[in-house]
Amino acid sequence: MSFKAAVLVFPGSNCDRDCKVAVERSTGGHVDMVWHQDTALPSGLDLIVVPGGFSYGDYLRCGAMASLSPVMAEVVKAAERGVNVIGICNGFQILCKSGLLPGALMRNNTLKYICKPIELKVENHNTAFTQGYTPGQSVWMTQGNADGNFVADADTLNAIEGNGQVVFRYVENPNGSANDIAGLMNTRGNVLGMMPHPDRAFEAELGSDDGATLFKSLLNSALTAA
């Protein structure tokens, strides 16, 4: 079988092409680019990527306008069918705004844009996204955001922790995120949102190839399920 993925494209997105290349080179699969106004997704998808960037220029607030794009209704339906969905940076914000993930992303506590390599701890390796990592593994990806401060009320945070939904934590929290959360999934385990970019860390020439393991994990999961 051939791994099949789709990358969404919103007005203002600037990491959509990066995601396409990262998935293709990491998995050897096929990636379709899907315009935000489309009302259907390609059939037989193993993965949907909601990329980083500045959808709609972050007007109103990050991810708010993109979450209302026609294609997002199809992403919600696909997630309900069990298709794996990953939202990276602005994509994480869009997934929260769409109700696919709990919580919200607020302005960094430093009130500054952060762009630098960032060390993460793999908190949960028993997921389709992280089965290629070892428990507690330290990995490096790239952070690039002004609104990456994850917040949720106390009951929601307790539920997230109790359900094992935290997938990645910051080793040195750069933005004030609650419980050092850098990435979390839904209770079903097929929707992941994360602020650091695996698509900027999929080859050693980029400073780290730790992000490739995430995409390869999804490939292995798809092969196992086939």
Side-chain angles (χ1 to χ4, degrees):
M1 61 79 74
S2 175
F3 191 80
K4 191 173 180 181
V7 176
L8 307 188
V9 182
F10 299 95
S13 295
N14 63 16
C15 297
D16 43 7
R17 295 290 170 181
D18 294 351
C19 287
K20 175 179 170 64
V21 173
V23 174
E24 287 178 339
R25 292 190 184 179
S26 299
T27 68
H30 175 79
V31 179
D32 284 310
M33 307 299 283
V34 179
W35 184 234
H36 74 115
Q37 289 185 324
D38 287 354
T39 55
L41 291 165
S43 61
L45 290 175
D46 299 298
L47 174 66
I48 300 168
V49 182
V50 187
F54 297 90
S55 58
Y56 292 92
D58 280 353
Y59 289 117
L60 187 58
R61 57 188 181 276
C62 300
M65 296 175 74
S67 70
L68 301 176
S69 289
V71 75
M72 286 307 301
E74 299 306 308
V75 173
V76 172
K77 293 176 184 175
E80 291 173 348
R81 294 195 303 270
V83 177
N84 289 321
V85 179
I86 182 171
I88 303 167
C89 196
N90 189 218
F92 186 7
Q93 297 158 345
I94 294 169
L95 294 183
C96 289
K97 293 292 184 185
S98 301
L100 285 170
L101 290 173
L105 283 306
M106 304 295 288
R107 187 59 53 95
N108 295 336
N109 62 350
T110 59
L111 302 183
K112 294 181 179 179
Y113 182 86
I114 297 171
C115 185
K116 64 178 183 179
I118 197 86
E119 184 180 11
L120 309 173
K121 175 186 174 185
V122 179
E123 186 70 20
N124 185 347
H125 76 289
N126 292 313
T127 81
F129 302 91
T130 54
Q131 60 181 257
Y133 298 104
T134 56
Q137 182 177 343
S138 170
V139 299
W140 285 86
M141 299 186 194
T142 300
Q143 190 91 342
N145 64 75
D147 298 86
N149 184 357
F150 179 77
V151 298
D153 60 49
D155 289 343
T156 301
L157 282 174
N158 288 335
I160 289 170
E161 296 288 353
N163 294 331
Q165 292 175 246
V166 180
V167 179
F168 295 104
R169 290 191 203 273
Y170 296 110
V171 174
E172 294 184 6
N173 192 334
N175 46 27
S177 290
N179 296 6
D180 300 327
I181 292 173
L184 80 157
M185 61 182 183
N186 62 347
T187 54
R188 183 171 180 169
N190 68 311
V191 178
L192 170 68
M194 58 188 298
M195 290 312 296
H197 286 255
D199 51 307
R200 296 180 185 175
F202 67 94
E203 291 181 335
E205 290 80 358
L206 299 173
S208 170
D209 60 359
D210 289 334
T213 302
L214 186 150
F215 299 120
K216 290 176 180 176
S217 294
L218 289 163
L219 170 62
N220 290 333
S221 177
L223 290 172
T224 301

